[in-house]
Structures are given as C-alpha cells and as structure tokens.
Amino acid sequence: MAATQTGIASVYSGEETANGEYAHASALTAAHRTLPFGTMVEVTNIQTGRSVVVRINDRGPYIRGRVIDLTPAGARAIGSSGLAPVTLTVLSVGTRSNRSDRSIKG
C-alpha cells in the first residue's frame, strides 16, 4: 500500500456501506477499493489546495481513474460538488477489512 495516491474523487451518499454503516451526507467518511475500514485519509483537492480528513468505511469507487468516493460533506470541505483531482495521504491505517465487523458507528 502506498502512503499517497493521486486520482479523481467523486461524491456519493445515501446507501449502506460495505462495513454496515450508512453513508450519511453530513459524515466525513469515504469509500476506497483497498484501504482497511477505519483508515484515516487526508484528501487534498489539487485545484483548490483545500484538504479534509475522512475515515474509510466503504468499498469503491469502481470507475477507472477514480480513487475515492466522498460524502457530500467531504466533497464540500475540499471545494468540490462532483469530480475533483485529489491526492490521498494515509494518516493512520485501520484494522477492519470486512462487512462482518459492524462495531464502528458513524
């Protein structure tokens, strides 16, 4: 796993996540294909320079070139309402990796 990653962030909310939480529009959570649940990631919008720290609680995005799905609150924090070029920096690695562990509540 790389400590940083660059790509496109997209926005999503309103559905159950892979770890059993709900993707609340106001939460600072996100989906990533491989990072363990509970991982804290700083997401920086390359165009605006604005950053936000989010917690990984879902899997995705599954569209080529996209590296993270942010809730609307996370997207607003970096000055985006749709797609944005971002850099991800892992701040701390979580330990949860599957849906069967529903002990994290958002």
Side-chain angles (χ1 to χ4, degrees):
M1 173 182 61
T4 62
Q5 186 176 17
T6 301
I8 301 296
S10 51
V11 182
Y12 83 121
S13 69
E15 56 199 50
E16 186 176 5
T17 66
N19 80 345
E21 293 179 23
Y22 191 76
H24 293 283
S26 61
L28 293 178
T29 58
H32 189 275
R33 280 185 225 98
T34 59
L35 289 172
F37 297 146
T39 296
M40 301 301 289
V41 178
E42 182 180 45
V43 181
T44 303
N45 183 328
I46 294 169
Q47 293 176 329
T48 66
R50 292 169 61 180
S51 297
V52 67
V53 176
V54 296
R55 179 176 50 84
I56 302 300
N57 73 337
D58 201 4
R59 292 291 170 238
Y62 297 107
I63 297 173
R64 186 181 180 106
R66 296 189 190 176
V67 294
I68 197 164
D69 279 332
L70 299 170
T71 58
R76 274 192 307 277
I78 64 168
S80 174
S81 60
L83 302 177
V86 296
T87 298
L88 310 181
T89 303
V90 174
L91 301 177
S92 66
V93 178
T95 59
R96 310 213 190 297
S97 61
N98 63 45
R99 184 185 180 105
S100 65
D101 187 343
R102 294 180 179 228
S103 63
I104 302 174
K105 300 296 176 197

